[in-house]
Amino acid sequence: MDDTIGTTNDEKDKIKDKITEELSRQYSLNKISLEEYERLIEYAHKIETEKELIIIRKIINENDLTTAYKNDGKEITDNAHIKHDYTILSSRKMSGSALNEINGKIITILGDTHIIIDNDDLAEDENETFIDIVVVLGDIVIHVPKNITVINKAVPILGDVSGNEGNRNGNQGKKLIIKGKVILGNMTVRRKR
C-alpha cells in the first residue's frame, strides 16, 4: 500500500503551502516561537507520507488551541492564552484588522467602542468570521461593508441589539457572526456607505 501524500508533486506542494501559511499565521500571532516556526517549516517541507502529514497537523492544531473560538465557532476551554480587548469608561475606534490580534472577547464597560471592518479584515480561507462581545452599560457599534452578511447571535439582557443583518448579494460571500451578551447597553450593526 502506497502511503505517500498526494499523487502528484503539485498536490504535495499545495499541501505544504497550506501548512506553511498556517505556521506563518501562528508565528505572526506569537503562538509559536521563531525557533519552533523554523523547525516546523523545515519538517513540513520534508513530509512524504500521510502519517507525517497527520503528525504535523496535530502539532499545528495543538498550537492553535489558544484561541477562544475555532473557525467552526465552537468555544475552546483552554483559557490560559486568551487575549481579551477592554474599553472601560472611555471611547475608542478599532480597525477590523485588530480582530486578528484578539482571540477572546471585545469587552466594553461604561464606554463606547466603534469597530470598523473592511472586506480584507475577514477570514480569507473561511466564509465565516466570529466576534465575541460583552457590553455592560455601554455601546458597541460595528461598521461593516454592504456585501457582508451579518448573523447576530448576541443576547440582550435589558439592552438593545439591532442592525441591518442582510446584504445585497443574498447569503453569498463572507459572513460575520456576532456572539456575546449586551447587558444594560447597546450593540448596533451599521452598513458603510
Side-chain angles (χ1 to χ4, degrees):
M1 181 169 128
D2 186 18
D3 196 30
T4 57
I5 59 170
T7 56
T8 67
N9 285 336
D10 285 341
E11 290 176 349
K12 287 180 184 180
D13 290 340
K14 284 180 184 178
I15 292 170
K16 291 176 184 180
D17 287 344
K18 284 187 177 186
I19 291 170
T20 301
E21 285 176 324
E22 179 58 22
L23 288 170
S24 297
R25 184 188 69 80
Q26 289 184 7
Y27 173 70
S28 71
L29 295 173
N30 291 325
K31 293 183 179 184
I32 58 176
S33 68
L34 179 61
E35 294 79 18
E36 289 173 307
Y37 172 75
E38 291 172 341
R39 189 171 57 249
L40 290 171
I41 289 290
E42 183 180 344
Y43 182 73
H45 285 285
K46 293 180 181 178
I47 288 177
E48 293 296 327
T49 66
E50 192 71 31
K51 187 174 183 180
E52 292 172 320
L53 181 62
I54 291 169
I55 291 169
I56 192 79
R57 284 186 175 155
K58 280 186 178 183
I59 292 169
I60 290 171
N61 288 338
E62 287 296 318
N63 286 332
D64 214 26
L65 284 180
T66 59
T67 58
Y69 288 93
K70 285 189 176 179
N71 288 334
D72 61 4
K74 293 183 181 172
E75 192 169 354
I76 296 171
T77 56
D78 179 13
N79 294 329
H81 296 86
I82 293 176
K83 180 181 174 190
H84 298 302
D85 183 83
Y86 295 92
T87 302
I88 302 173
L89 290 168
S90 58
S91 178
R92 75 183 232 191
K93 286 186 179 181
M94 297 173 58
S95 69
S97 61
L99 297 176
N100 296 326
E101 299 169 13
I102 301 166
N103 56 18
K105 299 177 188 311
I106 298 173
I107 301 169
T108 301
I109 302 171
L110 291 166
D112 182 36
T113 303
H114 285 262
I115 305 168
I116 300 158
I117 298 174
D118 292 322
N119 281 317
D120 296 338
D121 299 326
L122 302 179
E124 283 297 321
D125 53 346
E126 301 291 326
N127 281 342
E128 298 177 344
T129 300
F130 293 87
I131 296 179
D132 194 0
I133 63 164
V134 174
V135 182
V136 180
L137 293 168
D139 296 301
I140 288 184
V141 180
I142 302 172
H143 303 268
V144 297
K146 293 178 182 177
N147 63 336
I148 292 175
T149 300
V150 177
I151 299 171
N152 198 342
K153 295 182 178 182
V155 177
I157 302 170
L158 296 174
D160 183 45
V161 173
S162 63
N164 184 349
E165 296 187 8
N167 70 23
R168 296 182 188 250
N169 299 329
N171 284 330
Q172 308 233 346
K174 295 181 179 181
K175 293 179 183 167
L176 177 67
I177 300 173
I178 303 168
K179 297 181 173 191
K181 295 175 183 66
V182 179
I183 303 166
L184 294 168
N186 298 299
M187 194 285 302
T188 306
V189 175
R190 289 193 185 146
R191 295 286 172 179
K192 294 197 285 187
R193 296 176 193 209

